[in-house]
Structures are given as C-alpha cells and as structure tokens.
C-alpha cells in the first residue's frame, strides 16, 4: 500500500515535452504525461477506458491523445471526444486525470483525492534552479521496495562502510550520534562530525590542508523527500556555531517515488554554491554522488533479495534506528488514516446509507 494524498515527484521537467508523450508508473498506477502547446503539463491514467490499452502507445493529436487500438480520442481533461463509427459517446467514456505542478524543475503529481491537492504542501527545492547554486540532474531506478531506500537515507552511519571511496569517511563519522527530532510529517536529523578527515568527494574539489568539521542536517518528510543542508569547513573555527568561512556547502534534494511494491524511482541532485564557474567541479560532485548511490543500490538490492527469501524475518532494532523507526511509524499512521477515511467514504456511498440520510436520499 502507498500513501495517496501526498505529492510525489513524477519526472524532471525536461522529460515531459510538447512534442511527445512520457509514461511512468507511480504507486502502481500507469501515468501518461505530456505538455499542451501552451506548456501546461497533463497527466492521464495510461489506460484507455475501452479495453485498457496503454494510451502511451497511441499518438498525439494537438492537445489530445488518440488510442491506437480502436481509435478513441481523449482531450486533456480525460474525456473521450471521438469514437470512430459512433455518433453517441457513453458519458462514462473518460480516463482519470491527476493534479500536477511543475516547481523548481521537478514535476509533482497527486495520486489521491484531487480536492485535497494543495500546491502549498509541495516541498521547497529552490536550489535546483537557483542562479547561486549548481547541480546536475540525477535519476536511478531501483528494483526494491521504497521503504528500504528510506531506511538507508535515515541512517547515515552506513557512509564509511558502503561509500569508503566516495561520500564516506572514517569510522569516526559513523560513531557520531545524530540528533533526531520528530516533525508533523517526518523527521529532522542533525549530525556533526568534528575534527575528521574530509571524505574523498570533498578532497577532490578542495585542498583542505588538514581536518574538517562536517555537518548533515536534513528533513525527511512524507511520502519520502529529503532536503539537506550539508558541507564541511576547516576544523576548529566554529562551523557548528555558524562560522562556515572557507567551507563548502550543499543543498541535497532527493525524492523517492514508489513505482510498484518492489520497484522505485529515485530523483536527486546535489546543488553546491562554490566554483560556480567551473562545470568540471559540478560534474565531479555529481559523479561522486552517482557512484555512491549505485553503491547504495547494490547493497539495498542484495538486502531486498535476502528479505524476499524470509518473509517472516524480524529485524533487530539498534539505537541507530531511531529516525527510520519514527518515519516508518508515521507512514503506517498515515496509511491507517487514509484507509479509515476511504472506508467511511464507501459506507456513506452505499444505498442503505443514502436512504437513511435525508440529505443524500433526494
């Protein structure tokens, strides 16, 4: 099961064009996206209402889409406006549409109740297109359940072991206990490592001449979005008190979007605010992140395969699991809330309920 009434990242802006059609499965639902001639993004269920053929293998006709199985044509609101050989089109001939918002180069989609799709709930990822920050676009496909990726991101103590030559550092980084704070829709994690060696990716872009103080401060919010203030500065100058002079800073943006129960879309970028005139630095940082995330995928994919062999396996909790345990609890709570709301909605829609309610009985 997946949380429905939340915003998921569906694509990078460049993936959805005016000329073609783009399809991607999100929370188990096939979605077709395209841009109208005025640039507006449309998201339809990628399934013709007639015989269930994918509309994505059809063709664009202006701002409409034609299914190439029996020729039904749908407008941008999902309504069938033409059926070859028929003058009368059934009123129920339409496909589901989804609210979409384009914000700071990410295309967000709402898979739940359209009436609850409040754009103000979309996380602020301004660093993805801010002129004072630089990054490259990232996307990785995982053949694992999305919650295993969330677990990985909620506990950075794995960095020295999974990423020793990329984002990691020494075991002294893993030994630092993070501060975990519960939020209404997620958790906030603060981790400082004082007087440590700079990790390989940072040593590749700056000569530090000694130890550094490193920070990772981030919000991880439902459904699975990570926004992080991270970086490092020369040790001993008071970075923890706010003096980041001579340091480097990043604003990591990561979004985990379930494809199915056992596959996931992973969108990411690692904007930096230094060496803005040196694209080779941006490329170096991006490649280090890609390499590290490939390392994550390797271990998490192995974990998924191991867990699939033992459905009754019970994980043993450690102190380092505080953040991921709190986040999983919030996911479970939201799923229970949505299930209860859906049950009430169905109960209210039954004939018996309508007959007993004078306001709905007509």
């Amino acid at each position: 099961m997946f949380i429905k009434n939340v915003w998921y990242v569906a694509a990078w802006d460049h993936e959805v064009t005016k000329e073609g059609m783009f399809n991607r499965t999100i929370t188990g639902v096939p979605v077709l996206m395209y841009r109208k001639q005025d640039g507006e993004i449309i998201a339809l269920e990628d399934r013709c209402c007639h015989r269930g053929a994918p509309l994505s293998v059809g063709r664009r006709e202006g701002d409409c889409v034609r299914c190439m199985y029996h020729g039904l044509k749908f407008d941008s609101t999902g309504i069938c406006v033409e059926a070859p050989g028929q003058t009368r089109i059934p009123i129920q001939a339409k496909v589901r549409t989804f609210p979409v918002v384009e914000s700071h180069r990410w295309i967000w989609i709402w898979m739940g109740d359209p009436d609850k799709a409040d754009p103000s709930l979309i996380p602020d990822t301004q660093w993805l297109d801010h002129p004072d920050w630089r990054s490259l676009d990232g996307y990785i496909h995982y053949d694992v359940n999305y919650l295993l990726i969330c677990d990985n991101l909620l506990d950075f103590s794995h960095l020295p072991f999974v990423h020793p030559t990329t984002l990691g550092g020494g075991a002294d980084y893993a030994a630092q206990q993070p501060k975990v704070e519960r939020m209404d829709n997620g958790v906030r994690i603060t981790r400082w490592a004082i007087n440590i060696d700079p990790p390989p990716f940072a040593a590749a872009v700056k000569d530090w001449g000694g130890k550094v103080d490193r920070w990772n401060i981030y919000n991880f919010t439902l459904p699975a979005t990570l926004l992080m203030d991270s970086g490092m500065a020369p040790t001993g100058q008071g970075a923890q008190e706010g003096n980041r002079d001579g340091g480097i800073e990043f604003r990591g943006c990561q979004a985990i979007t379930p494809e199915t129960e056992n596959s996931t879309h992973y969108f990411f970028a690692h904007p930096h605010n230094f060496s803005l005139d040196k694209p080779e630095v941006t490329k170096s940082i991006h490649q280090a992140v890609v390499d590290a995330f490939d390392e994550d995928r390797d271990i998490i994919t192995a974990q998924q395969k191991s867990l699939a062999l033992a459905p009754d396996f019970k994980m043993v909790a450690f102190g380092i699991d505080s953040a991921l345990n709190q986040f999983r609890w919030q996911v479970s709570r939201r799923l229970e809330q949505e299930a209860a709301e859906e049950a009430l909605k169905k109960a209210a829609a039954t004939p018996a309920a309508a007959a007993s309610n004078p306001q709905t009985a007509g």
Side-chain angles (χ1 to χ4, degrees):
M1 295 190 296
F2 305 110
I3 302 172
K4 295 180 179 179
N5 292 316
V6 286
W7 290 101
Y8 288 98
V9 174
W12 284 96
D13 56 0
H14 64 81
E15 294 184 286
V16 182
T17 66
K18 291 182 181 180
E19 294 72 28
M21 297 187 290
F22 182 79
N23 65 301
R24 178 166 276 155
T25 298
I26 299 172
T27 65
V29 180
V31 176
L32 168 68
M33 290 174 279
Y34 65 93
R35 291 183 188 270
K36 295 169 58 175
Q37 293 307 303
D38 63 5
E40 178 187 358
I41 299 175
I42 301 299
L44 307 174
E45 184 168 359
D46 191 14
R47 186 181 287 123
C48 180
C49 63
H50 178 220
R51 287 293 180 264
L55 294 175
S56 57
V57 298
R59 72 184 181 207
R60 287 281 303 276
E61 295 186 6
D63 288 342
C64 298
V65 176
R66 188 179 296 277
C67 176
M68 294 307 289
Y69 191 9
H70 297 97
L72 274 65
K73 182 178 179 180
F74 298 89
D75 67 14
S76 60
T77 68
I79 295 175
C80 180
V81 294
E82 184 178 317
Q86 288 191 213
T87 55
R88 181 181 176 277
I89 300 175
I91 191 172
Q92 66 270 29
K94 54 187 176 182
V95 297
R96 182 182 176 190
T97 61
F98 303 92
V100 287
V101 173
E102 187 173 5
S103 177
H104 299 300
R105 304 208 48 245
W106 273 351
I107 296 171
W108 299 81
I109 189 167
W110 186 273
M111 303 302 292
D113 182 351
D115 292 335
K116 296 181 177 180
D118 181 357
S120 70
L121 298 176
I122 294 174
D124 182 6
T125 60
Q126 59 180 292
W127 307 279
L128 295 176
D129 58 0
H130 196 287
D132 294 337
W133 295 80
R134 295 286 186 276
S135 64
L136 295 174
D137 305 348
Y139 170 84
I140 295 178
H141 184 269
Y142 273 79
D143 289 318
V144 306
N145 181 275
Y146 84 104
L147 286 174
L148 294 182
I149 307 173
C150 294
D151 291 348
N152 173 270
L153 294 174
L154 286 160
D155 175 19
F156 279 4
S157 68
H158 74 273
L159 263 62
F161 308 104
V162 180
H163 313 300
T165 63
T166 52
L167 300 184
D172 50 355
Y173 178 82
Q176 307 303 313
Q177 288 297 316
K179 178 182 178 181
V180 178
E181 302 169 86
R182 181 179 296 181
M183 303 166 58
D184 290 340
N185 65 335
V187 294
R188 180 175 177 82
I189 301 171
T190 302
R191 181 190 289 270
W192 280 90
I194 306 299
N195 194 30
I196 64 171
D197 292 326
F201 85 99
V205 298
K206 181 179 174 66
D207 181 8
W208 294 94
K211 304 278 189 175
V212 300
D213 294 342
R214 182 180 183 183
W215 65 89
N216 294 101
I217 304 167
Y218 59 102
N219 293 345
F220 198 96
T221 57
L222 297 173
T225 305
L226 182 153
L227 299 180
M228 179 166 59
D229 167 11
S230 68
M232 59 211 67
T235 193
Q237 70 175 29
Q240 197 165 3
E241 288 71 42
N243 181 9
R244 298 183 177 185
D245 292 346
I248 60 175
E249 297 183 48
F250 305 91
R251 292 294 185 273
C253 300
Q254 302 176 37
I256 299 91
T257 299
E259 180 182 48
T260 66
E261 287 288 349
N262 292 307
S263 59
T264 303
H265 308 292
Y266 191 0
F267 304 89
F268 62 91
H270 207 57
H272 62 91
N273 68 348
F274 57 92
S275 300
L276 301 184
D277 59 342
K278 297 179 179 179
E280 66 275 12
V281 170
T282 303
K283 185 176 180 180
S284 173
I285 293 169
H286 178 75
Q287 190 57 54
V289 171
V290 170
D291 291 343
F293 289 176
D294 282 340
E295 293 167 343
D296 281 324
R297 180 169 55 180
D298 289 344
I299 188 64
I300 297 172
T301 300
Q303 177 192 21
Q304 169 96 11
K305 291 179 179 178
S306 174
L307 293 173
L309 296 174
D312 297 328
F313 176 78
K314 301 298 182 183
M315 299 182 186
V316 177
F318 279 71
I320 58 176
D321 299 332
S322 174
L324 64 92
N325 287 338
Q326 289 192 40
F327 185 77
R328 283 207 178 212
W329 176 82
Q330 291 185 330
V331 171
S332 297
R333 184 181 66 168
R334 183 67 70 88
L335 287 171
E336 291 170 358
Q337 291 173 343
E338 290 193 354
E341 292 171 359
E342 187 65 23
L344 287 173
K345 185 177 179 180
K346 289 181 178 179
T350 62
S356 63
N357 188 338
Q359 292 183 343
T360 61

